Amino acid sequence: MPGALQRPAVVSRVSDLIGHTPLLELATTGTGSRLLLKLEMFNPTGTAKIRMARQMVTDAEARGELRPGGRIVESTSGNTGLGLAVIAAERGYTFTAVVDHHACTDKLRAMKALGTELVHVADDGTGELATAAREGLAEDLARGQHNTVFTEQHNNPSNGIGYFPVAHELAEALDGRLDVLIGAVGTGGALCGTTRELRTLIPPFTSIGVEPKGSIAFGGPAHDYYQSGTGTPEGAPVGALVDFALIDEGIKVGDIEAFATCRAVARTGLLIGGSAGGVVHEALARLSSLPPGSTMVALINDGGEKYLDTVFNDDWMRARNLLDPAAEREIEELLTKLRRSR
């Protein structure tokens, strides 16, 4: 598999840099259990989603749905759009991203810089998540158009397949020893795709999905949330890639806890994205209760650099009642304790 191969010293395309992302040991218990972070921000565009963006385009080409000079349309909160923007630029396609104002401004700016056509589902300037409306508009834009494909990330099997190399990278790096895999659940592609393939490679392990409080994949109640690029908001269908048979446990983490974790982890020298904060929060809470010598891997789907104006901005956080210094201190103290154990 591609993920198990060594990257050449010199590459000819940006997409050749996808994969082979590092594992960082964030914390270790006195009993030898450790939390490793799979740092997907080391992919081009700083996100895991370029993996599945490439796979979706490659498979559309193989089916003859996308030919030279064609157009790609996708509904995105940012990271998938960034990945598709790179692949489209490399292969000579036009890319139209249907977005809402919930997306981080830096993601929108980056897509535009890469040549993407941005279409806002609503121009009223609100910050509400509009996944269902985005999906509908993207489908309408692609319907009946010549040499145009709506990649439809939430229901495209290629999404999950794009993460198969992650499984091979983990199996190789860990010599087949993994006890817990934990990751965010949005489209479901990253966690379920990795889990599906990894279960063919190594002994049984536990797979844990994390979504924001307010998301509905693991049940209600539904309400607004600020973690972007993850979860299933009210009114949107749970994506076909969310395979509950592959997820042993589904967990919800609130915005305050997720963002406090991001800010605490930043003080160790690492910037992680908002949804990754939710994953790490749950991972840290569980680590000490694992059997001695356990290995837990958290999928960190993007870095924190895109969230400097939001998660790491005190004014933005305070205006939304998300700033909680006490929660940050609690997580910092836990990290300090667990890092001293190493």
Side-chain angles (χ1 to χ4, degrees):
M1 287 292 295
L5 302 176
Q6 294 298 311
R7 181 187 298 140
V10 177
V11 300
S12 58
R13 299 180 301 180
V14 171
S15 62
D16 293 333
L17 298 169
I18 296 171
H20 313 282
T21 55
L23 283 165
L24 173 71
E25 184 180 275
L26 180 68
T28 307
T29 69
T31 61
S33 293
R34 56 182 182 161
L35 171 60
L36 307 180
L37 308 185
K38 180 66 167 162
L39 298 180
E40 288 290 278
M41 72 275 277
F42 284 90
N43 284 304
T45 71
T47 170
K49 290 194 173 183
I50 195 170
R51 291 183 186 261
M52 62 92 152
R54 178 175 61 179
Q55 192 71 44
M56 291 193 301
V57 173
T58 297
D59 290 350
E61 291 171 336
R63 293 190 299 268
E65 297 173 359
L66 190 60
R67 300 174 297 283
R71 181 189 187 198
I72 302 165
V73 179
E74 182 56 85
S75 160
T76 176
S77 60
N79 282 335
T80 299
L82 285 169
L84 286 169
V86 169
I87 305 304
E90 285 187 342
R91 302 188 187 186
Y93 299 123
T94 299
F95 173 47
T96 299
V98 180
V99 300
D100 56 35
H101 291 282
H102 190 266
C104 291
T105 302
D106 283 346
K107 294 180 185 180
L108 302 179
R109 290 172 177 164
M111 281 191 280
K112 191 170 183 180
L114 290 164
T116 300
E117 175 194 18
L118 298 179
V119 176
H120 282 86
V121 73
D123 290 317
D124 57 8
T126 66
E128 293 183 2
L129 187 61
T131 303
R134 284 198 331 246
E135 294 284 314
L137 180 55
E139 185 175 6
D140 289 344
L141 289 174
R143 186 184 295 113
Q145 298 299 308
H146 174 71
N147 197 12
T148 298
V149 61
F150 172 31
T151 42
E152 199 177 2
Q153 59 172 313
H154 286 85
N155 297 300
N156 190 330
S158 299
N159 178 341
I161 295 169
Y163 293 103
F164 283 6
V166 178
H168 288 259
E169 292 171 28
L170 289 174
E172 183 177 29
L174 300 174
D175 293 325
R177 174 66 193 275
L178 174 67
D179 299 287
V180 180
L181 179 68
I182 183 168
V185 175
T187 68
L191 180 63
C192 294
T194 302
T195 297
R196 181 182 298 279
E197 184 69 1
L198 198 53
R199 284 186 172 163
T200 70
L201 302 172
I202 66 173
F205 60 92
T206 298
S207 180
I208 300 173
V210 178
E211 68 173 350
K213 288 182 178 178
S215 174
I216 62 170
F218 300 134
H223 57 74
D224 292 341
Y225 54 87
Y226 287 99
Q227 295 171 63
S228 66
T230 188
T232 305
E234 187 175 23
V238 178
L241 279 299
V242 180
D243 188 341
F244 294 102
L246 293 170
I247 301 172
D248 296 304
E249 189 175 354
I251 296 296
K252 294 176 180 287
V253 176
D255 290 334
I256 290 175
E257 293 79 10
F259 296 165
T261 303
C262 292
R263 293 162 68 96
V265 170
R267 293 173 193 126
T268 72
L270 179 69
L271 290 174
I272 62 175
S275 64
V279 172
V280 174
H281 184 273
E282 183 63 24
L284 288 171
R286 289 171 175 259
L287 186 62
S288 294
S289 65
L290 294 178
S294 296
T295 296
M296 174 188 285
V297 170
L299 300 176
I300 305 302
N301 285 342
D302 75 342
E305 292 81 0
K306 305 182 186 81
Y307 307 93
L308 297 178
D309 290 335
T310 54
V311 175
F312 298 102
N313 182 323
D314 287 359
D315 292 336
W316 185 92
M317 291 278 287
R318 191 176 292 110
R320 291 156 180 80
N321 296 316
L322 297 172
L323 192 62
D324 191 336
E328 291 179 37
R329 284 194 299 272
E330 183 179 345
I331 297 162
E332 281 188 70
E333 290 169 3
L334 177 59
L335 274 170
T336 299
K337 175 184 176 182
L338 291 172
R339 290 170 72 82
R340 282 178 182 159
S341 300
R342 295 189 297 183

Short mmCIF file of all heavy atoms in Angstrom, two decimals, residues 21 44 46 49 58 70 84 109 134 140 151-152 156 164 170 181 183 200 214 216-217 219-220 232 253 284 297 314 340:
data_model
loop_
_atom_site.label_atom_id
_atom_site.label_comp_id
_atom_site.label_asym_id
_atom_site.label_seq_id
_atom_site.Cartn_x
_atom_site.Cartn_y
_atom_site.Cartn_z
N THR A 21 3.01 10.76 7.72
CA THR A 21 2.97 11.75 8.79
C THR A 21 3.48 11.15 10.10
O THR A 21 3.33 9.95 10.34
CB THR A 21 1.54 12.29 8.97
OG1 THR A 21 0.64 11.19 9.18
CG2 THR A 21 1.09 13.07 7.74
N PRO A 44 0.37 18.16 2.97
CA PRO A 44 0.14 19.44 2.29
C PRO A 44 -1.24 19.98 2.66
O PRO A 44 -2.19 19.22 2.83
CB PRO A 44 0.20 19.06 0.81
CG PRO A 44 1.04 17.84 0.76
CD PRO A 44 0.73 17.08 2.03
N GLY A 46 -1.95 21.12 5.44
CA GLY A 46 -2.05 21.03 6.89
C GLY A 46 -3.22 20.23 7.39
O GLY A 46 -3.71 20.46 8.49
N LYS A 49 -7.44 15.67 5.19
CA LYS A 49 -8.46 15.50 4.16
C LYS A 49 -7.93 15.56 2.73
O LYS A 49 -8.64 15.19 1.80
CB LYS A 49 -9.59 16.50 4.38
CG LYS A 49 -10.40 16.16 5.63
CD LYS A 49 -11.71 16.91 5.70
CE LYS A 49 -12.54 16.41 6.88
NZ LYS A 49 -13.86 17.06 6.95
N THR A 58 -9.10 10.77 -8.14
CA THR A 58 -8.50 9.65 -8.88
C THR A 58 -9.55 8.63 -9.29
O THR A 58 -9.56 8.13 -10.43
CB THR A 58 -7.41 8.98 -8.02
OG1 THR A 58 -6.36 9.92 -7.76
CG2 THR A 58 -6.83 7.76 -8.72
N GLY A 70 -12.04 19.27 -16.92
CA GLY A 70 -13.32 19.16 -16.22
C GLY A 70 -13.41 20.04 -14.99
O GLY A 70 -12.49 20.80 -14.64
N LEU A 84 -8.91 19.44 -2.34
CA LEU A 84 -9.38 19.40 -3.72
C LEU A 84 -8.78 20.54 -4.54
O LEU A 84 -8.53 20.38 -5.74
CB LEU A 84 -10.91 19.47 -3.75
CG LEU A 84 -11.63 18.19 -3.33
CD1 LEU A 84 -13.13 18.45 -3.15
CD2 LEU A 84 -11.41 17.08 -4.36
N ARG A 109 -9.56 31.89 2.40
CA ARG A 109 -8.52 32.65 1.71
C ARG A 109 -7.53 31.73 1.01
O ARG A 109 -7.08 32.01 -0.11
CB ARG A 109 -7.78 33.53 2.71
CG ARG A 109 -8.60 34.70 3.26
CD ARG A 109 -7.85 35.38 4.39
NE ARG A 109 -8.57 36.53 4.90
CZ ARG A 109 -8.31 37.12 6.06
NH1 ARG A 109 -7.34 36.63 6.83
NH2 ARG A 109 -8.99 38.18 6.45
N ARG A 134 -25.56 23.67 1.87
CA ARG A 134 -24.37 23.58 1.02
C ARG A 134 -24.45 22.37 0.11
O ARG A 134 -24.16 22.44 -1.09
CB ARG A 134 -23.11 23.46 1.89
CG ARG A 134 -22.64 24.73 2.55
CD ARG A 134 -21.17 24.60 3.01
NE ARG A 134 -20.76 23.26 3.35
CZ ARG A 134 -20.43 22.84 4.57
NH1 ARG A 134 -20.52 23.68 5.59
NH2 ARG A 134 -20.03 21.61 4.76
N ASP A 140 -26.91 20.91 -7.08
CA ASP A 140 -27.57 21.67 -8.15
C ASP A 140 -26.57 22.23 -9.16
O ASP A 140 -26.82 22.23 -10.37
CB ASP A 140 -28.37 22.83 -7.56
CG ASP A 140 -29.61 22.36 -6.81
OD1 ASP A 140 -30.02 21.19 -7.00
OD2 ASP A 140 -30.16 23.15 -6.02
N THR A 151 -18.16 15.66 -5.99
CA THR A 151 -17.45 14.57 -5.30
C THR A 151 -18.20 14.07 -4.07
O THR A 151 -17.97 12.94 -3.63
CB THR A 151 -16.02 15.02 -4.91
OG1 THR A 151 -16.05 16.36 -4.41
CG2 THR A 151 -15.11 14.97 -6.12
N GLU A 152 -19.08 14.87 -3.50
CA GLU A 152 -20.02 14.44 -2.46
C GLU A 152 -19.32 13.64 -1.36
O GLU A 152 -19.59 12.47 -1.11
CB GLU A 152 -21.14 13.60 -3.08
CG GLU A 152 -22.37 13.49 -2.22
CD GLU A 152 -23.51 12.71 -2.88
OE1 GLU A 152 -23.31 12.22 -4.01
OE2 GLU A 152 -24.56 12.61 -2.24
N ASN A 156 -19.33 9.44 -0.46
CA ASN A 156 -18.44 8.90 -1.49
C ASN A 156 -17.54 7.83 -0.87
O ASN A 156 -16.72 8.13 0.00
CB ASN A 156 -17.60 10.04 -2.06
CG ASN A 156 -16.83 9.63 -3.30
OD1 ASN A 156 -16.46 8.48 -3.46
ND2 ASN A 156 -16.57 10.60 -4.17
N PHE A 164 -7.00 4.51 3.87
CA PHE A 164 -6.39 3.20 4.04
C PHE A 164 -4.88 3.29 4.30
O PHE A 164 -4.33 2.56 5.13
CB PHE A 164 -6.66 2.30 2.84
CG PHE A 164 -8.06 1.71 2.79
CD1 PHE A 164 -9.04 2.09 3.69
CD2 PHE A 164 -8.38 0.78 1.81
CE1 PHE A 164 -10.32 1.55 3.63
CE2 PHE A 164 -9.67 0.23 1.74
CZ PHE A 164 -10.63 0.62 2.65
N LEU A 170 0.30 3.28 10.42
CA LEU A 170 0.21 2.96 11.84
C LEU A 170 0.68 1.55 12.13
O LEU A 170 1.43 1.30 13.09
CB LEU A 170 -1.22 3.15 12.34
CG LEU A 170 -1.72 4.59 12.44
CD1 LEU A 170 -3.20 4.61 12.81
CD2 LEU A 170 -0.92 5.39 13.45
N LEU A 181 -7.78 3.36 19.12
CA LEU A 181 -7.71 4.39 18.08
C LEU A 181 -8.87 5.34 18.31
O LEU A 181 -10.02 4.92 18.43
CB LEU A 181 -7.82 3.77 16.69
CG LEU A 181 -7.77 4.75 15.50
CD1 LEU A 181 -6.38 5.37 15.37
CD2 LEU A 181 -8.16 4.04 14.21
N GLY A 183 -10.68 9.18 17.15
CA GLY A 183 -10.66 10.23 16.15
C GLY A 183 -12.01 10.92 16.04
O GLY A 183 -13.04 10.41 16.49
N THR A 200 -7.72 -5.32 9.29
CA THR A 200 -7.21 -6.40 8.44
C THR A 200 -5.71 -6.61 8.65
O THR A 200 -5.15 -7.57 8.12
CB THR A 200 -7.47 -6.12 6.95
OG1 THR A 200 -6.62 -5.03 6.51
CG2 THR A 200 -8.91 -5.75 6.69
N GLY A 214 -23.99 18.69 20.48
CA GLY A 214 -24.83 19.40 19.53
C GLY A 214 -24.93 18.69 18.21
O GLY A 214 -25.89 18.87 17.45
N ILE A 216 -25.39 15.17 15.91
CA ILE A 216 -26.44 14.16 16.09
C ILE A 216 -26.06 12.74 15.69
O ILE A 216 -26.88 11.83 15.79
CB ILE A 216 -27.71 14.56 15.31
CG1 ILE A 216 -27.41 14.64 13.80
CG2 ILE A 216 -28.26 15.89 15.83
CD1 ILE A 216 -28.65 14.78 12.93
N ALA A 217 -24.82 12.51 15.24
CA ALA A 217 -24.46 11.16 14.79
C ALA A 217 -24.61 10.13 15.91
O ALA A 217 -25.04 9.01 15.68
CB ALA A 217 -23.03 11.14 14.24
N GLY A 219 -26.58 10.62 18.55
CA GLY A 219 -27.79 10.98 19.27
C GLY A 219 -27.82 12.45 19.65
O GLY A 219 -26.85 13.17 19.51
N GLY A 220 -28.99 12.88 20.16
CA GLY A 220 -29.20 14.28 20.53
C GLY A 220 -28.76 14.57 21.95
O GLY A 220 -28.11 13.72 22.58
N THR A 232 -22.24 16.20 12.79
CA THR A 232 -23.41 16.24 11.90
C THR A 232 -24.44 17.16 12.51
O THR A 232 -25.06 16.80 13.52
CB THR A 232 -24.01 14.83 11.72
OG1 THR A 232 -23.00 13.92 11.26
CG2 THR A 232 -25.15 14.87 10.71
N VAL A 253 -17.94 15.76 22.95
CA VAL A 253 -17.12 16.70 23.71
C VAL A 253 -17.57 18.11 23.35
O VAL A 253 -17.70 18.45 22.17
CB VAL A 253 -15.61 16.53 23.40
CG1 VAL A 253 -14.79 17.61 24.12
CG2 VAL A 253 -15.14 15.14 23.82
N LEU A 284 -6.99 12.09 26.75
CA LEU A 284 -6.31 12.35 28.02
C LEU A 284 -7.15 11.87 29.20
O LEU A 284 -6.61 11.35 30.19
CB LEU A 284 -6.01 13.84 28.16
CG LEU A 284 -4.91 14.40 27.25
CD1 LEU A 284 -4.88 15.92 27.35
CD2 LEU A 284 -3.55 13.81 27.62
N VAL A 297 -3.75 5.80 20.07
CA VAL A 297 -3.40 6.74 18.99
C VAL A 297 -4.60 7.64 18.73
O VAL A 297 -5.72 7.18 18.53
CB VAL A 297 -3.01 6.00 17.70
CG1 VAL A 297 -2.89 6.99 16.53
CG2 VAL A 297 -1.69 5.27 17.89
N ASP A 314 -8.51 35.31 22.23
CA ASP A 314 -9.27 35.50 23.47
C ASP A 314 -10.56 36.28 23.24
O ASP A 314 -11.61 35.97 23.83
CB ASP A 314 -8.43 36.24 24.50
CG ASP A 314 -7.35 35.37 25.11
OD1 ASP A 314 -7.25 34.19 24.73
OD2 ASP A 314 -6.59 35.88 25.96
N ARG A 340 5.55 14.28 32.86
CA ARG A 340 6.60 13.97 33.82
C ARG A 340 6.81 12.47 33.95
O ARG A 340 7.86 12.02 34.40
CB ARG A 340 6.23 14.54 35.19
CG ARG A 340 6.47 16.05 35.30
CD ARG A 340 6.03 16.55 36.65
NE ARG A 340 6.18 17.99 36.79
CZ ARG A 340 5.55 18.75 37.66
NH1 ARG A 340 4.69 18.17 38.51
NH2 ARG A 340 5.76 20.03 37.72
#
